[in-house]
Amino acid sequence: MAKLTFFGAAQEVTGSCYLLESPALGKILMECGMHQGGDAVDRVQDEKFDFNPAELNAVILSHGHLDHSGMLPKLVNQGFDGPIYCTQATRQLLRILLEDAWGLYERDLERENLRRERSGRDSIKPEYTEHDVEKVLRLCDGQAYRKAVKVGPDASVRFLDAGHILGSSIVELTLTEKGEEKILVFSGDLGNKTSALMNDPESPAKADIVLMEGTYGNRNHRSHQATLDQFRDVLHETWEAGGNVMIPSFAIGRTQEIIFHLGCLYHAGELDNWQVYLDSPMAIAVTEVYDRWLHIMDDEDVRCLNEANRESLREFLPNLRLCHTAEESMAINSVKQGAIIIAGSGMCTGGRIRHHFKHRIWKTENTIMFIGFQARGTLGRMLVDGIKEFRMFGDDFKVKARIETIGGLSAHAGQDGLIEWADNFETNPRFYLIHGEAEALDALSQRLWLDKGIKSEIPARGDCIAF
């Protein structure tokens, strides 16, 4: 009998973590994600494992985003020493993501310990080190899509394309217990079919258990054309107002999609005279990885690059300026108007975007454009919800900039896309809805039942099921 325990992203959007136990594979962890929002030191210190990492045989990772992978170094620090199965592209992206996260954690820890030293308090020891990050990368076993790989005495895994970000996967685990085959399918994060560069999510036909994400379980995105029209109109209106556009963007996926769409506007003669600044060393590095993997991406979008005689996303947008250093980032402050600033973090929990807010959020001619999900408790969510004033860097800031959400550029499937994916199974599996806020999962569960007759359950953290 297999047993599955939900340790994260259960009625919440971040911190994905699920423990699977079976005679067919021993103990395997699916995902090892970080909760997002708040100070890096607090996040890492507060994360606790409700299991012994040293007892795990392996980790299976659907994709590289930190809410799915960010606690891997801490897992290694506490004794995990097995393989980490993921796709080949995810393995390449993990180095960028985890090294960046380590740098932020190290700097925040140094600042916190300096404050503690001044007040006579004990310093905090790091929960993991740079050596743990390197060990995670050595343990990664990158696999091709659709190739069955043995992960236990009587278990195998296949990664199918989830269409979410580069390397993202739907995990298909096949277990054989006492001669009986059981299939668990974990959706990972399912992509939006209209996303630039990404292929449509694949649809496995057979499963006994399905874990399905429900980030947008309670709503749909705007149509693709309406989204692009809104995107173009907001840019033009801000240009006419003499302002600048700030785009808090996730380094993986959303940044590359924005560059692609800006490139399309440029080649259509519809980008006015904007100067575009990619102000994120991590996003720059990720974009280089995307360029190396263009051959596996959506054929139609790649053809747009080829028709423009461009072999990379960076070449596709000629007025793109890459800001590697802090000095290059600060130089943007002198640009009075006509700057599109793409900077992390995507939920405004840190990163260079907050420094651009400091100089521009209090000016009415400027626009902040959100293009991805904003989790509860983050500054991004508060701005989307209409906060008028907030505190940052020890100062109070009034929000006078225009706030726009371009929902159709999300990397996640909307409600209809999730239901369509769920309806493709031919074997009447048991559905468990995860990776979504409670109200989103409730709405998705109701639609699944009313529209398709699919029963589903919504586990809470710590719940355990047997199959």
Side-chain angles (χ1 to χ4, degrees):
M1 182 71 70
K3 184 171 74 169
L4 179 70
T5 308
F6 300 84
F7 284 122
Q11 300 183 30
E12 60 180 345
V13 171
T14 64
S16 290
C17 187
Y18 315 100
L19 179 65
L20 179 61
E21 301 171 77
S22 164
L25 46 66
K27 293 184 179 180
I28 281 186
L29 195 67
M30 292 192 299
E31 317 285 75
C32 191
M34 174 187 291
H35 286 83
Q36 301 198 293
D39 178 81
V41 173
D42 291 339
R43 287 199 306 268
V44 176
Q45 301 295 128
D46 291 345
E47 297 281 0
K48 307 295 181 187
F49 298 124
D50 295 320
F51 48 84
N52 183 354
E55 293 179 355
L56 297 173
N57 297 93
V59 172
I60 296 175
L61 191 62
S62 70
H63 66 288
H65 276 148
L66 290 179
D67 60 326
H68 295 257
S69 69
M71 284 295 101
L72 285 171
K74 186 168 180 174
L75 191 79
V76 164
N77 182 274
Q78 294 191 9
F80 173 70
D81 194 32
I84 300 169
Y85 297 102
C86 59
T87 65
Q88 294 165 336
T90 293
R91 186 177 184 274
Q92 292 185 17
L93 291 174
L94 271 180
R95 176 173 293 279
I96 300 169
L97 277 163
L98 295 181
E99 287 181 351
D100 181 79
W102 159 250
L104 292 174
Y105 175 52
E106 183 182 37
R107 287 195 294 274
D108 284 358
L109 191 63
E110 287 175 354
R111 283 195 292 267
E112 175 62 24
N113 282 335
L114 184 59
R115 285 194 291 266
R116 286 171 169 264
E117 184 180 341
R118 288 170 179 164
S119 61
R121 293 181 293 162
D122 293 337
S123 62
I124 299 174
K125 294 182 179 179
E127 292 287 314
Y128 70 89
T129 69
E130 189 174 12
H131 297 295
D132 296 316
V133 173
E134 284 299 322
K135 185 172 181 180
V136 167
L137 299 173
R138 289 197 304 272
L139 293 175
C140 280
D141 189 350
Q143 299 294 327
Y145 281 124
R146 293 172 288 283
K147 174 188 173 185
V149 180
K150 190 164 183 167
V151 294
D154 296 291
S156 64
V157 67
R158 279 200 316 154
F159 295 108
L160 307 178
D161 195 343
H164 173 59
I165 63 168
L166 179 63
S168 62
S169 66
I170 297 159
V171 175
E172 183 187 80
L173 259 174
T174 302
L175 318 176
T176 303
E177 296 180 346
K178 297 181 179 179
E180 180 185 1
E181 186 176 272
K182 302 174 182 179
I183 300 175
L184 181 151
V185 170
F186 168 45
S187 72
D189 285 355
L190 291 172
N192 182 351
K193 284 189 173 182
T194 64
S195 290
L197 305 176
M198 294 294 99
N199 299 306
D200 289 350
E202 295 188 72
S203 297
K206 296 180 180 180
D208 298 286
I209 297 287
V210 175
L211 309 184
M212 186 173 80
E213 68 113 331
T215 309
Y216 284 93
N218 57 345
R219 59 194 187 276
N220 285 306
H221 307 306
R222 299 188 73 182
S223 72
H224 184 59
Q225 189 57 53
T227 296
L228 295 182
D229 289 344
Q230 180 192 9
F231 181 58
R232 183 193 61 237
D233 291 347
V234 170
L235 290 177
H236 184 67
E237 289 162 10
T238 307
W239 175 268
E240 290 296 313
N244 303 278
V245 175
M246 294 165 280
I247 305 179
S249 187
F250 301 95
I252 304 178
R254 298 310 83 209
T255 290
Q256 292 72 39
E257 178 156 358
I258 285 293
I259 292 172
F260 176 79
H261 287 307
L262 289 171
C264 290
L265 290 175
Y266 175 90
H267 289 284
E270 297 181 329
L271 195 56
D272 294 311
N273 286 313
W274 287 106
Q275 290 300 312
V276 184
Y277 298 88
L278 179 51
D279 188 19
S280 167
M282 181 167 68
I284 293 168
V286 169
T287 303
E288 292 173 354
V289 175
Y290 265 66
D291 286 340
R292 294 199 294 271
W293 286 91
L294 284 174
H295 63 280
I296 71 166
M297 297 183 186
D298 186 276
D299 290 340
E300 183 176 341
D301 295 329
V302 173
R303 187 166 61 248
C304 292
L305 274 69
N306 294 336
E307 290 173 351
N309 295 315
R310 300 294 189 269
E311 295 182 355
S312 71
L313 287 168
R314 291 161 292 167
E315 293 175 342
F316 190 53
L317 183 58
N319 54 344
L320 177 65
R321 301 184 181 186
L322 307 179
C323 301
H324 295 272
T325 67
E327 290 74 20
E328 289 170 326
S329 176
M330 289 186 287
I332 304 173
N333 297 334
S334 63
V335 179
K336 301 304 180 186
Q337 65 184 70
I340 298 174
I341 306 163
I342 307 168
S345 67
M347 296 185 190
C348 313
T349 55
R352 293 182 179 180
I353 194 65
R354 292 166 73 100
H355 293 276
H356 294 297
F357 284 177
K358 177 180 178 180
H359 292 276
R360 303 180 192 272
I361 200 169
W362 42 273
K363 296 182 179 181
T364 56
E365 67 269 25
N366 294 327
T367 297
I368 300 172
M369 185 186 291
F370 288 98
I371 58 172
F373 186 84
Q374 303 299 309
R376 188 171 288 150
T378 63
L379 176 57
R381 178 65 167 265
M382 289 186 277
L383 290 169
V384 168
D385 286 346
I387 190 173
K388 299 301 181 185
E389 188 172 340
F390 66 97
R391 192 165 183 80
M392 182 177 68
F393 303 132
D395 293 318
D396 293 321
F397 290 87
K398 293 188 181 297
V399 181
K400 295 186 178 180
R402 174 181 178 178
I403 308 295
E404 288 283 342
T405 298
I406 315 294
L409 293 182
S410 171
H412 287 267
Q415 186 187 66
D416 285 348
L418 292 169
I419 291 170
E420 179 186 347
W421 185 83
D423 195 39
N424 279 317
F425 286 94
E426 301 169 355
T427 51
N428 193 30
R430 291 158 56 187
F431 274 83
Y432 294 87
L433 305 183
I434 55 170
H435 203 283
E437 293 173 354
E439 57 269 27
L441 300 182
D442 285 338
L444 179 59
S445 182
Q446 291 179 33
R447 279 278 320 267
L448 284 168
W449 174 244
L450 293 174
D451 291 10
K452 302 296 182 181
I454 296 173
K455 294 181 180 180
S456 57
E457 298 180 45
I458 303 173
R461 180 184 170 87
D463 282 358
C464 181
I465 63 170
F467 66 98

